[in-house]
PDB file of all heavy atoms in Angstrom:
ATOM      1  N   ARG S  13     -37.667 -59.233 133.726  1.00  0.00           N
ATOM      2  CA  ARG S  13     -37.199 -60.362 134.537  1.00  0.00           C
ATOM      3  C   ARG S  13     -36.043 -59.928 135.429  1.00  0.00           C
ATOM      4  O   ARG S  13     -35.921 -60.377 136.564  1.00  0.00           O
ATOM      5  CB  ARG S  13     -36.771 -61.498 133.597  1.00  0.00           C
ATOM      6  CG  ARG S  13     -36.859 -62.842 134.223  1.00  0.00           C
ATOM      7  CD  ARG S  13     -37.003 -63.974 133.240  1.00  0.00           C
ATOM      8  NE  ARG S  13     -35.946 -64.137 132.278  1.00  0.00           N
ATOM      9  CZ  ARG S  13     -36.070 -63.908 130.972  1.00  0.00           C
ATOM     10  NH1 ARG S  13     -37.197 -63.462 130.479  1.00  0.00           N
ATOM     11  NH2 ARG S  13     -35.066 -64.116 130.157  1.00  0.00           N
ATOM     12  N   ILE S  14     -35.203 -59.046 134.944  1.00  0.00           N
ATOM     13  CA  ILE S  14     -34.080 -58.545 135.739  1.00  0.00           C
ATOM     14  C   ILE S  14     -34.578 -57.560 136.793  1.00  0.00           C
ATOM     15  O   ILE S  14     -34.176 -57.617 137.957  1.00  0.00           O
ATOM     16  CB  ILE S  14     -33.027 -57.883 134.823  1.00  0.00           C
ATOM     17  CG1 ILE S  14     -32.414 -58.939 133.892  1.00  0.00           C
ATOM     18  CG2 ILE S  14     -31.943 -57.197 135.650  1.00  0.00           C
ATOM     19  CD1 ILE S  14     -31.550 -58.366 132.779  1.00  0.00           C
ATOM     20  N   VAL S  15     -35.499 -56.694 136.397  1.00  0.00           N
ATOM     21  CA  VAL S  15     -36.006 -55.651 137.292  1.00  0.00           C
ATOM     22  C   VAL S  15     -36.759 -56.241 138.488  1.00  0.00           C
ATOM     23  O   VAL S  15     -36.710 -55.693 139.589  1.00  0.00           O
ATOM     24  CB  VAL S  15     -36.905 -54.666 136.500  1.00  0.00           C
ATOM     25  CG1 VAL S  15     -37.664 -53.729 137.413  1.00  0.00           C
ATOM     26  CG2 VAL S  15     -36.067 -53.888 135.503  1.00  0.00           C
ATOM     27  N   VAL S  16     -37.414 -57.375 138.302  1.00  0.00           N
ATOM     28  CA  VAL S  16     -38.233 -57.951 139.368  1.00  0.00           C
ATOM     29  C   VAL S  16     -37.395 -58.682 140.432  1.00  0.00           C
ATOM     30  O   VAL S  16     -37.866 -58.915 141.547  1.00  0.00           O
ATOM     31  CB  VAL S  16     -39.319 -58.876 138.771  1.00  0.00           C
ATOM     32  CG1 VAL S  16     -38.751 -60.221 138.352  1.00  0.00           C
ATOM     33  CG2 VAL S  16     -40.468 -59.068 139.735  1.00  0.00           C
ATOM     34  N   ILE S  17     -36.147 -58.996 140.125  1.00  0.00           N
ATOM     35  CA  ILE S  17     -35.308 -59.759 141.055  1.00  0.00           C
ATOM     36  C   ILE S  17     -35.173 -59.068 142.419  1.00  0.00           C
ATOM     37  O   ILE S  17     -35.387 -59.724 143.446  1.00  0.00           O
ATOM     38  CB  ILE S  17     -33.932 -60.072 140.440  1.00  0.00           C
ATOM     39  CG1 ILE S  17     -34.101 -61.045 139.274  1.00  0.00           C
ATOM     40  CG2 ILE S  17     -32.977 -60.657 141.475  1.00  0.00           C
ATOM     41  CD1 ILE S  17     -32.844 -61.223 138.421  1.00  0.00           C
ATOM     42  N   PRO S  18     -34.843 -57.787 142.494  1.00  0.00           N
ATOM     43  CA  PRO S  18     -34.721 -57.166 143.820  1.00  0.00           C
ATOM     44  C   PRO S  18     -36.011 -57.244 144.645  1.00  0.00           C
ATOM     45  O   PRO S  18     -35.955 -57.421 145.864  1.00  0.00           O
ATOM     46  CB  PRO S  18     -34.356 -55.708 143.511  1.00  0.00           C
ATOM     47  CG  PRO S  18     -33.727 -55.757 142.165  1.00  0.00           C
ATOM     48  CD  PRO S  18     -34.441 -56.856 141.423  1.00  0.00           C
ATOM     49  N   ALA S  19     -37.161 -57.126 143.990  1.00  0.00           N
ATOM     50  CA  ALA S  19     -38.431 -57.219 144.717  1.00  0.00           C
ATOM     51  C   ALA S  19     -38.627 -58.619 145.299  1.00  0.00           C
ATOM     52  O   ALA S  19     -39.041 -58.768 146.455  1.00  0.00           O
ATOM     53  CB  ALA S  19     -39.596 -56.852 143.798  1.00  0.00           C
ATOM     54  N   ILE S  20     -38.324 -59.637 144.518  1.00  0.00           N
ATOM     55  CA  ILE S  20     -38.453 -61.019 145.011  1.00  0.00           C
ATOM     56  C   ILE S  20     -37.518 -61.237 146.196  1.00  0.00           C
ATOM     57  O   ILE S  20     -37.914 -61.778 147.230  1.00  0.00           O
ATOM     58  CB  ILE S  20     -38.153 -62.040 143.892  1.00  0.00           C
ATOM     59  CG1 ILE S  20     -39.191 -61.931 142.775  1.00  0.00           C
ATOM     60  CG2 ILE S  20     -38.120 -63.463 144.453  1.00  0.00           C
ATOM     61  CD1 ILE S  20     -38.828 -62.709 141.515  1.00  0.00           C
ATOM     62  N   ILE S  21     -36.276 -60.808 146.045  1.00  0.00           N
ATOM     63  CA  ILE S  21     -35.289 -60.988 147.108  1.00  0.00           C
ATOM     64  C   ILE S  21     -35.713 -60.228 148.357  1.00  0.00           C
ATOM     65  O   ILE S  21     -35.637 -60.752 149.468  1.00  0.00           O
ATOM     66  CB  ILE S  21     -33.889 -60.539 146.625  1.00  0.00           C
ATOM     67  CG1 ILE S  21     -33.435 -61.399 145.443  1.00  0.00           C
ATOM     68  CG2 ILE S  21     -32.870 -60.579 147.752  1.00  0.00           C
ATOM     69  CD1 ILE S  21     -33.538 -62.885 145.637  1.00  0.00           C
ATOM     70  N   ALA S  22     -36.167 -58.998 148.202  1.00  0.00           N
ATOM     71  CA  ALA S  22     -36.617 -58.206 149.358  1.00  0.00           C
ATOM     72  C   ALA S  22     -37.755 -58.908 150.076  1.00  0.00           C
ATOM     73  O   ALA S  22     -37.767 -58.993 151.311  1.00  0.00           O
ATOM     74  CB  ALA S  22     -37.047 -56.810 148.909  1.00  0.00           C
ATOM     75  N   LEU S  23     -38.696 -59.456 149.333  1.00  0.00           N
ATOM     76  CA  LEU S  23     -39.819 -60.161 149.955  1.00  0.00           C
ATOM     77  C   LEU S  23     -39.342 -61.387 150.732  1.00  0.00           C
ATOM     78  O   LEU S  23     -39.882 -61.694 151.801  1.00  0.00           O
ATOM     79  CB  LEU S  23     -40.839 -60.573 148.900  1.00  0.00           C
ATOM     80  CG  LEU S  23     -41.693 -59.446 148.332  1.00  0.00           C
ATOM     81  CD1 LEU S  23     -42.423 -59.908 147.076  1.00  0.00           C
ATOM     82  CD2 LEU S  23     -42.678 -58.942 149.381  1.00  0.00           C
ATOM     83  N   LEU S  24     -38.344 -62.073 150.209  1.00  0.00           N
ATOM     84  CA  LEU S  24     -37.869 -63.297 150.864  1.00  0.00           C
ATOM     85  C   LEU S  24     -37.112 -63.023 152.165  1.00  0.00           C
ATOM     86  O   LEU S  24     -36.801 -63.960 152.895  1.00  0.00           O
ATOM     87  CB  LEU S  24     -37.025 -64.126 149.896  1.00  0.00           C
ATOM     88  CG  LEU S  24     -37.812 -64.774 148.758  1.00  0.00           C
ATOM     89  CD1 LEU S  24     -36.878 -65.511 147.813  1.00  0.00           C
ATOM     90  CD2 LEU S  24     -38.897 -65.702 149.287  1.00  0.00           C
ATOM     91  N   PHE S  25     -36.858 -61.764 152.463  1.00  0.00           N
ATOM     92  CA  PHE S  25     -36.266 -61.440 153.757  1.00  0.00           C
ATOM     93  C   PHE S  25     -37.303 -61.509 154.881  1.00  0.00           C
ATOM     94  O   PHE S  25     -36.958 -61.473 156.047  1.00  0.00           O
ATOM     95  CB  PHE S  25     -35.635 -60.035 153.735  1.00  0.00           C
ATOM     96  CG  PHE S  25     -34.228 -60.031 153.250  1.00  0.00           C
ATOM     97  CD1 PHE S  25     -33.919 -59.563 151.982  1.00  0.00           C
ATOM     98  CD2 PHE S  25     -33.198 -60.507 154.053  1.00  0.00           C
ATOM     99  CE1 PHE S  25     -32.610 -59.563 151.521  1.00  0.00           C
ATOM    100  CE2 PHE S  25     -31.886 -60.506 153.614  1.00  0.00           C
ATOM    101  CZ  PHE S  25     -31.595 -60.029 152.342  1.00  0.00           C
ATOM    102  N   PHE S  26     -38.571 -61.596 154.496  1.00  0.00           N
ATOM    103  CA  PHE S  26     -39.646 -61.590 155.482  1.00  0.00           C
ATOM    104  C   PHE S  26     -40.362 -62.931 155.486  1.00  0.00           C
ATOM    105  O   PHE S  26     -40.293 -63.687 154.531  1.00  0.00           O
ATOM    106  CB  PHE S  26     -40.639 -60.461 155.169  1.00  0.00           C
ATOM    107  CG  PHE S  26     -39.993 -59.113 155.163  1.00  0.00           C
ATOM    108  CD1 PHE S  26     -39.597 -58.521 153.968  1.00  0.00           C
ATOM    109  CD2 PHE S  26     -39.747 -58.435 156.347  1.00  0.00           C
ATOM    110  CE1 PHE S  26     -38.981 -57.286 153.948  1.00  0.00           C
ATOM    111  CE2 PHE S  26     -39.132 -57.197 156.349  1.00  0.00           C
ATOM    112  CZ  PHE S  26     -38.747 -56.616 155.144  1.00  0.00           C
ATOM    113  N   ASP S  27     -41.055 -63.201 156.590  1.00  0.00           N
ATOM    114  CA  ASP S  27     -41.830 -64.428 156.714  1.00  0.00           C
ATOM    115  C   ASP S  27     -43.307 -64.121 156.528  1.00  0.00           C
ATOM    116  O   ASP S  27     -43.732 -62.974 156.614  1.00  0.00           O
ATOM    117  CB  ASP S  27     -41.612 -65.054 158.096  1.00  0.00           C
ATOM    118  CG  ASP S  27     -40.210 -65.622 158.245  1.00  0.00           C
ATOM    119  OD1 ASP S  27     -39.718 -66.230 157.279  1.00  0.00           O
ATOM    120  OD2 ASP S  27     -39.609 -65.437 159.321  1.00  0.00           O
ATOM    121  N   GLY S  28     -44.068 -65.159 156.327  1.00  0.00           N
ATOM    122  CA  GLY S  28     -45.512 -65.017 156.223  1.00  0.00           C
ATOM    123  C   GLY S  28     -46.021 -65.499 154.878  1.00  0.00           C
ATOM    124  O   GLY S  28     -45.344 -65.391 153.853  1.00  0.00           O
ATOM    125  N   ALA S  29     -47.228 -66.027 154.921  1.00  0.00           N
ATOM    126  CA  ALA S  29     -47.836 -66.605 153.723  1.00  0.00           C
ATOM    127  C   ALA S  29     -48.037 -65.568 152.627  1.00  0.00           C
ATOM    128  O   ALA S  29     -47.743 -65.831 151.454  1.00  0.00           O
ATOM    129  CB  ALA S  29     -49.165 -67.271 154.079  1.00  0.00           C
TER     130      ALA S  29
END
Side-chain angles (χ1 to χ4, degrees):
R13 206 156 60 249
I14 295 170
V15 169
V16 77
I17 293 169
I20 296 169
I21 298 310
L23 286 166
L24 290 177
F25 273 105
F26 301 98
D27 290 319

